[in-house]
Amino acid sequence: MTPMDVRQSLLRGGYEPLPLVGKRPIIEGWQKRDQTSAGDIEIWSKLYPHATNTGCLTRRMPSLDVDILNADAAQAVEDLIKDRYGHVLVRIGKPPKRAILFRTDQVFKKITANLAAPNGVSEKIEFLCDGQQLVVNGVHPDTGQSYCWHGGEPGQVLLAELPYINGGEAQQLVTDIVALLEADFGYRRPQHKGNGADADLAGASDWNELTANILAGRALHDSLRDLAAKMIASGTSPGPPSISCGR
């Protein structure tokens, strides 16, 4: 199937597709899109022929992103979800990381639980929803291999057939996953400080973790955002005022 065919199939299945370059949406203001038509998809194929990957907005398709590198732990998370929700669609991009799809009509904000693996590497569990998107078709930019699915594939499986979840249930699921990873696989939550804009499931990652992530290039966008929020919340000065020269 061509990217246009994939997107038309997703649209017919109730999803909200997006054209991507790698993992990046190519359309400005994509976070606020509320309706896509078959005509839009045809236009995208003409305007953005280089955008060969396809994503879906997660606003009505909340997606649990299991961003951990322990294969047994990732499988245990998947098994926990299957025990609770039954049949699910599972996307594999860069194994053993995986994403699992749900549906909702009660849009909620992204839920993030930052974790430290037993070897000290920063990993995380995220529930993507309002303002995010997930790659569902194409080639992973790091592996050079196609994204693959088991349990079915969106488009072939209708959005209405995915397991339903709301924000409270999503929060509880993330809490239970973190408890599983701590109890059975030696993960731990980083020391947390702060609240409000820089908070995740139990508070923001501390300064050291965020700095280490940025230096290592891990979760770069989120780490830069959270570090900036912590600096503002702590009262860091924005610097001297700019000086305007001229007549």
Side-chain angles (χ1 to χ4, degrees):
M1 296 174 70
T2 66
M4 184 172 71
D5 293 336
V6 170
R7 294 163 193 163
Q8 297 285 17
S9 176
L10 287 164
L11 184 64
R12 290 192 295 270
Y15 300 88
E16 299 174 89
L18 292 169
L20 310 181
V21 173
K23 297 182 179 181
R24 179 176 62 87
I26 201 70
I27 303 171
E28 292 187 8
W30 59 268
Q31 299 94 331
K32 297 181 179 180
R33 291 186 65 87
D34 59 4
Q35 189 171 8
T36 296
S37 69
D40 291 332
I41 293 172
E42 291 181 9
I43 292 172
W44 295 343
S45 68
K46 297 175 182 177
L47 292 179
Y48 314 115
H50 58 296
T52 54
N53 280 7
T54 297
C56 280
L57 288 171
T58 53
R59 178 175 50 237
R60 296 189 301 119
M61 185 197 76
S63 302
L64 185 73
D65 188 8
V66 184
D67 193 8
I68 59 178
L69 297 171
N70 180 317
D72 291 337
Q75 184 61 54
V77 171
E78 180 180 327
D79 292 342
L80 182 156
I81 294 168
K82 287 178 176 176
D83 287 345
R84 187 169 299 182
Y85 289 95
H87 185 80
V88 292
L89 307 191
V90 182
R91 189 215 67 184
I92 304 292
K94 187 176 182 179
K97 299 179 182 182
R98 62 200 65 198
I100 298 174
L101 305 189
F102 294 81
R103 64 181 172 90
T104 195
D105 56 14
Q106 300 179 32
V107 177
F108 54 88
K109 297 296 183 181
K110 181 172 70 171
I111 301 167
T112 301
N114 291 307
L115 296 163
N119 61 3
V121 173
S122 295
E123 300 177 1
K124 61 185 174 181
I125 302 293
E126 285 193 310
F127 228 126
L128 309 178
C129 191
D130 190 24
Q132 288 88 49
Q133 60 88 25
L134 182 78
V135 187
V136 298
N137 184 271
V139 175
H140 193 286
D142 295 337
T143 67
Q145 302 296 314
S146 296
Y147 287 89
C148 62
W149 291 87
H150 61 87
E153 186 170 342
Q156 299 171 5
V157 176
L158 302 179
L159 177 68
E161 296 175 319
L162 300 180
Y164 184 86
I165 199 164
N166 60 36
E169 293 165 344
Q171 184 82 62
Q172 185 61 54
L173 181 57
V174 171
T175 298
D176 294 344
I177 289 169
V178 170
L180 168 71
L181 294 173
E182 289 178 325
D184 293 354
F185 297 97
Y187 282 80
R188 60 179 177 80
R189 295 301 306 273
Q191 295 297 314
H192 298 296
K193 300 175 183 179
N195 51 42
D198 62 345
D200 62 34
L201 180 66
S205 300
D206 63 18
W207 296 89
N208 291 336
E209 183 195 4
L210 292 171
T211 302
N213 280 352
I214 292 166
L215 292 174
R218 294 189 296 266
L220 192 56
H221 175 272
D222 287 351
S223 296
L224 286 168
R225 178 202 62 205
D226 292 348
L227 184 60
K230 288 179 72 66
M231 293 176 69
I232 293 170
S234 68
T236 301
S237 169
S242 61
I243 300 175
S244 177
C245 298
R247 289 175 288 185

